[in-house]
Amino acid sequence: MEIDEAVRGCSDRRLRTKYDNAVYVVQRAFALYPFEEVAFSFNGGKDSTVLLHLIRAGYYLYKKDSGDAAKMDAIKNCPLRTIYFESPCAFPEIDSFTYETVSTYGLPLETIQSDFKSGLEGLLKEKPTKAIFIGTRIGDPNAVGQEQFSPSSPGWPPFMRVNPILDWSYRDVWSFLLTCKVKYCSLYDQGYTSIGSIHDTVPNALLSDSSSEKTFRPAYMLTDGRLERAGRTKKTSHKIEMNSVASNGMNNNEAEQMISRAASIIVVSDEILFGITEDKLGTALCKKLHAIGWRVSHVAVVRNEIDSVAEEVERCKSTDDMVFIFGALGPLHSDISLAGVAKAFAVRLAPDEEFEDYLSQLMGSNYTGDRNEMALLPEGITELLHHKALPLPLIKCRNVITLAATNLDELDTEWDCLLDTQESGLVQAKPFVSKHLRTTLSDVQIAPVVAKLCLEFSDVYIGCHRISRAGPLVVNLTGKDNQRVQAALEKLTSSFEGQFSQVDCCK
Ligand SMILES: Cc1cc2nc3c(=O)[nH]c(=O)nc-3n(C[C@H](O)[C@H](O)[C@H](O)COP(=O)(O)O)c2cc1C
Ligand SMILES: Nc1ncnc2c1ncn2[C@@H]1O[C@H](COP(=O)(O)OP(=O)(O)OP(=O)(O)O)[C@@H](O)[C@H]1O
Ligand SMILES: [Mg+2]
């Protein structure tokens, strides 16, 4: 069997291991389910092309193991039911590659014209189908929480999703296709690295040829597989969000208020809780966030314990747009931040190939201990944020960004890189306006007026603090609408003629 021979004959030990595991999953599926109740979901993409050849190899090995030696010569192909969800928005190259391939490999094709869910409902009604092979890989947006055998989701018709290449990286896919010298869709040689519909897919800009803007290098030249989907345009952008709120009859100001951003900060440090060190980074980050118009809703210092981090992340990730974590990052026993993040998202820590590469370039081969602990990242939800000024990319898990800074200078660098990296999601929001007033009046005297003011100006934050019990009182008015902040200020000062003076800062 040519695929099996090509992989076994190659020197790439990692590819051989990935192949062995995937082919094992294929064979188990054939052992578990009646052949005619298994289907292969094929769409001509690179992942499903890999899967096609793994299924062919797995089928061959399964038949060989079941003692059908006499018939082995006849088993060149695997006549597995193959389903293709056709779409008028598919690339013509994808369509033609799909039809050609099923014909080349003798796959009985069943085309479906509706969406995935109703298409599968129809398919299951028509023919009993217990399991479907899918080319999902960790890193695909829909892979989170899946295993190699994962029942379909609640609300979907019942079948087993079989994902033999779930743990394959972008590089593994290309090593396999090139080692086996199999045909793949021509778009991948034109710079496409992941293919969706004609409306949301363009060649990957990272492969653009320096000599000409219009030519692109082949997909297998992309060195950082994390950026595989860079040619897939995002479904919702800040601009669209803004347009849609503005088109709901709101003016732009109101629209900006609507999308004002909130962040929380988690500092992981037993030392701070013991009083041995102080948290300076949390305070500095509050200032930086405030300066770009973000509201900080919460700063927490938690213990170096997986559960403490997980509980805090779980709380913050759903209430805030962004969560920042400092501390407990590295190979030490107490470096548990990423395990806490993984637990909060109910995913595992798994080796990350790209991060491993960065670590070995930075630290040589002795960098991570026996299990490559430092290269274990939350599986399926991690994005590496690259920047030329950073020796290691920053780790972003959905809306949780792990900062590696240990002092204020390092924080400045990381912050500038985040602002310079679109993928960080750190967009500039409408800036805050702050005005500060100072008075020698007592708290008791101003309390009823300030309480009323808070009700009337609910969009303006009105805070009061003293530098000392005997010293003057400072009132801080902060909001996003300059006129409203000024109006609140005037109302307060006019209630106590001549008793307030405006100052530049709140000290
Ligand atoms: C055969 C097959 C089975 C699927 N089963 C499920 C499922 O059980 N649950 C689910 O949420 N999505 C399921 N999907 C949808 C995929 O998760 C995903 O939305 C789809 O592949 C589109 O990916 P894209 O949005 O990246 O193009 C299935 C898709 C296919 C082709
Ligand atoms: N239109 C479709 N018809 C049949 N199966 C599909 C279709 N779209 C997706 N799938 C299944 O979902 C899997 C994952 O799709 P995905 O787009 O991530 O991978 P791919 O198309 O194989 O490769 P690429 O990431 O380069 O687009 C496919 O390998 C295939 O098994
Ligand atoms: Mg695709």
Side-chain angles (χ1 to χ4, degrees):
M1 205 280 159
E2 83 284 4
I3 299 293
D4 199 57
E5 280 160 21
V7 178
R8 293 198 190 291
C10 82
S11 57
D12 184 344
R13 210 171 51 139
R14 179 185 164 103
L15 179 63
R16 290 202 307 266
T17 310
K18 295 274 171 187
Y19 169 82
D20 283 340
N21 291 341
V23 162
Y24 176 75
V25 171
V26 173
Q27 291 178 78
R28 294 312 297 159
F30 285 135
L32 281 164
Y33 306 105
F35 187 75
E36 57 287 355
E37 295 185 18
V38 181
F40 165 38
S41 195
F42 180 60
N43 68 336
K46 64 179 185 312
D47 304 328
S48 60
T49 304
V50 167
L51 184 53
L52 159 68
H53 295 288
L54 291 171
I55 291 173
R56 293 177 57 236
Y59 181 69
Y60 175 88
L61 296 170
Y62 168 69
K63 285 283 176 193
K64 200 166 141 196
D65 285 352
S66 7
D68 241 346
K71 293 193 203 138
M72 285 317 289
D73 274 352
I75 301 174
K76 289 230 166 58
N77 286 324
C78 168
L80 185 63
R81 284 169 53 203
T82 300
I83 53 174
Y84 177 41
F85 294 83
E86 287 182 318
S87 157
C89 306
F91 281 88
E93 291 89 342
I94 278 282
D95 270 342
S96 54
F97 178 74
T98 303
Y99 304 130
E100 264 167 40
T101 307
V102 293
S103 145
T104 306
Y105 294 102
L107 296 164
L109 182 65
E110 300 166 27
T111 55
I112 301 175
Q113 276 75 30
S114 47
D115 63 273
F116 291 133
K117 201 168 170 192
S118 25
L120 290 165
E121 272 158 9
L123 182 85
L124 262 73
K125 265 188 207 138
E126 228 174 80
K127 285 185 194 161
T129 305
K130 291 214 166 70
I132 305 180
F133 284 110
I134 310 176
T136 298
R137 285 192 293 115
I138 281 299
D140 290 348
N142 56 314
V144 176
Q146 288 208 54
E147 303 284 340
Q148 284 160 328
F149 287 82
S150 273
S152 51
S153 315
W156 284 65
F159 58 90
M160 186 62 80
R161 288 178 285 181
V162 185
N163 304 309
I165 58 166
L166 192 64
D167 66 336
W168 285 43
S169 68
Y170 183 81
R171 201 193 301 169
D172 296 329
V173 164
W174 283 109
S175 302
F176 178 84
L177 293 173
L178 299 177
T179 299
C180 296
K181 299 190 176 65
V182 289
K183 247 183 121 177
Y184 51 81
C185 176
S186 60
L187 291 175
Y188 293 110
D189 282 336
Q190 298 162 33
Y192 290 83
T193 50
S194 171
I195 302 173
S197 85
I198 48 171
H199 302 300
D200 73 3
T201 313
V202 290
N204 192 323
L206 292 152
L207 292 173
S208 82
D209 212 318
S210 48
S211 57
S212 145
E213 266 181 26
K214 286 198 180 133
T215 53
F216 292 84
R217 285 170 293 142
Y220 57 78
M221 303 282 282
L222 184 74
T223 44
D224 187 347
R226 293 266 152 206
L227 304 170
E228 162 182 3
R229 294 175 83 87
R232 302 280 285 267
T233 47
K234 300 242 163 28
K235 280 179 186 139
T236 45
S237 68
H238 177 72
K239 223 166 160 185
I240 295 170
E241 220 178 288
M242 279 287 291
N243 286 345
S244 71
V245 272
S247 70
N248 278 344
M250 294 178 192
N251 63 31
N252 258 356
N253 253 351
E254 285 164 330
E256 289 222 29
Q257 292 280 346
M258 284 288 292
I259 57 158
S260 73
R261 305 295 209 278
S264 47
I265 301 169
I266 302 173
V267 184
V268 187
S269 170
D270 281 338
E271 278 77 6
I272 292 175
L273 293 170
F274 284 135
I276 299 169
T277 52
E278 273 174 48
D279 169 38
K280 295 201 176 95
L281 298 177
T283 313
L285 187 56
C286 284
K287 283 191 189 144
K288 289 179 184 301
L289 284 159
H290 187 80
I292 63 161
W294 282 53
R295 187 169 52 82
V296 177
S297 62
H298 182 71
V299 181
V301 181
V302 301
R303 298 204 51 196
N304 289 63
E305 276 176 354
I306 294 175
D307 283 346
S308 303
V309 175
E311 275 167 29
E312 202 57 43
V313 171
E314 189 155 15
R315 188 170 26 239
C316 299
K317 75 179 170 58
S318 43
T319 51
D320 292 313
D321 297 288
M322 194 87 81
V323 183
F324 294 90
I325 298 195
F326 286 110
L329 205 62
L332 296 171
H333 71 285
S334 53
D335 292 332
I336 46 65
S337 283
L338 288 167
V341 174
K343 186 160 185 184
F345 283 99
V347 300
R348 295 171 297 208
L349 283 177
D352 184 290
E353 209 179 60
E354 271 85 25
F355 204 60
E356 247 175 73
D357 282 351
Y358 277 103
L359 286 168
S360 61
Q361 273 167 31
L362 193 70
M363 302 179 189
S365 52
N366 298 327
Y367 55 100
T368 58
D370 293 344
R371 291 175 43 246
N372 284 357
E373 287 92 347
M374 280 177 76
L376 296 176
L377 304 183
E379 190 173 39
I381 56 165
T382 298
E383 196 181 338
L384 297 182
L385 303 176
H386 309 262
H387 194 284
K388 56 183 182 308
L390 294 173
L392 273 180
L394 292 174
I395 298 161
K396 180 175 182 221
C397 302
R398 298 271 169 78
N399 62 340
V400 179
I401 294 184
T402 316
L403 292 168
T406 56
N407 62 35
L408 294 175
D409 287 342
E410 288 166 11
L411 177 62
D412 285 347
T413 308
E414 289 180 9
W415 178 255
D416 291 345
C417 294
L418 285 176
L419 288 180
D420 200 29
T421 310
Q422 208 187 350
E423 287 72 26
S424 71
L426 210 53
V427 290
Q428 179 89 38
K430 189 176 181 192
F432 286 106
V433 181
S434 287
K435 296 184 195 269
H436 316 289
L437 294 169
R438 191 185 273 248
T439 182
T440 49
L441 291 168
S442 73
D443 306 10
V444 177
Q445 284 169 297
I446 69 161
V449 177
V450 172
K452 261 199 196 153
L453 209 60
C454 288
L455 290 178
E456 190 180 339
F457 291 89
S458 57
D459 54 334
V460 178
Y461 166 81
I462 304 171
C464 308
H465 75 276
R466 309 183 153 276
I467 312 300
S468 73
R469 229 346 92 210
L473 187 69
V474 178
V475 181
N476 166 30
L477 301 110
T478 299
K480 293 229 161 182
D481 184 337
N482 189 25
Q483 282 178 352
R484 292 279 296 161
V485 174
Q486 184 61 30
L489 179 144
E490 280 165 17
K491 187 133 200 188
L492 180 60
T493 47
S494 64
S495 311
F496 299 96
E497 208 62 60
Q499 303 277 1
F500 277 96
S501 55
Q502 195 168 340
V503 288
D504 284 342
C505 77
C506 62
K507 287 190 182 138

